[in-house]
Amino acid sequence: FRFWGFEVYEAVLRVGPTFQPMAFDRHPLALSLTYARSLSGVDMARRSMVEIERQSPLEPDLRQRWLDQLIALFPDVSAGDTLLGAYQPGQGLQMWRFDDRWQRLGESQDMELARRFFGIWLSSQTSQPAMRNALLGLKTG
C-alpha cells in the first residue's frame, strides 16, 4: 500500500482452501501488514475508523467505543514491524505483533467491529479496490 507515493505497508492475506472472497466474513482469515515506516497506533486507529465508516455510517457513541477498542489494540510501529489481525467468525478479532516472536496484543469480541475492520481491505466499499482484488485473487477490470 502506498500513500502519496510513499510505501506504507505490505499486506498478505492468509485463508483456507474453502475461502470464498465475496463472503470473506464467513471464513477464518489472517491479514498481516509489514510496515515500511513508523506510524502511531492512535493514528492507525483513527484512520481505520475513517475506512470503517466508508462501509456505512456509525452512531457517535458506537464510533467512539470502536475507536477506543482499536486504540487499545494498535501499538506504535516502526519500519519492519509486522502486525497480524486474525478473524474467526463468531469470535471476533485478535491482534498480534511480530518482532523476534509473535506477541498477542489483544482482542475484540465485537463481531460487527471485526467484520468491518477486515472490510477495510476486503469489502466492496474499500478505498483501495486494486489492493482488495490482489489480496482476494480477483481479476481487475
Side-chain angles (χ1 to χ4, degrees), residues 90-106:
Q91 295 180 19
L93 73 92
Q94 293 183 359
M95 190 66 65
W96 297 78
R97 177 185 200 145
F98 184 82
D99 40 38
D100 60 339
R101 62 182 174 82
W102 286 105
Q103 300 171 323
R104 188 166 182 256
L105 298 172

Side-chain angles (χ1 to χ4, degrees), residues 75-136:
D76 295 342
V77 296
S78 299
D81 287 350
T82 298
L83 297 183
L84 181 134
Y87 174 81
Q88 183 69 33
Q91 295 180 19
L93 73 92
Q94 293 183 359
M95 190 66 65
W96 297 78
R97 177 185 200 145
F98 184 82
D99 40 38
D100 60 339
R101 62 182 174 82
W102 286 105
Q103 300 171 323
R104 188 166 182 256
L105 298 172
E107 68 180 34
S108 173
Q109 295 179 350
D110 185 319
M111 285 307 303
E112 184 64 10
L113 171 57
R115 184 184 68 76
R116 288 177 64 173
F117 176 73
F118 287 97
I120 292 170
W121 297 272
L122 305 177
S123 80
S124 59
Q125 293 88 15
T126 184
S127 64
Q128 302 297 319
M131 179 182 285
R132 174 184 184 258
N133 289 343
L135 287 170
L136 295 174

Side-chain angles (χ1 to χ4, degrees), residues 12 18 20 29 34 37 40 46-47 50 57 70 83-84 86 103 117 119 126 131 139:
V12 176
T18 62
Q20 299 172 343
L29 59 89
T34 300
R37 55 188 348 93
S40 150
R46 287 183 180 141
R47 183 65 198 175
V50 169
L70 293 177
L83 297 183
L84 181 134
Q103 300 171 323
F117 176 73
T126 184
M131 179 182 285
K139 294 182 180 176

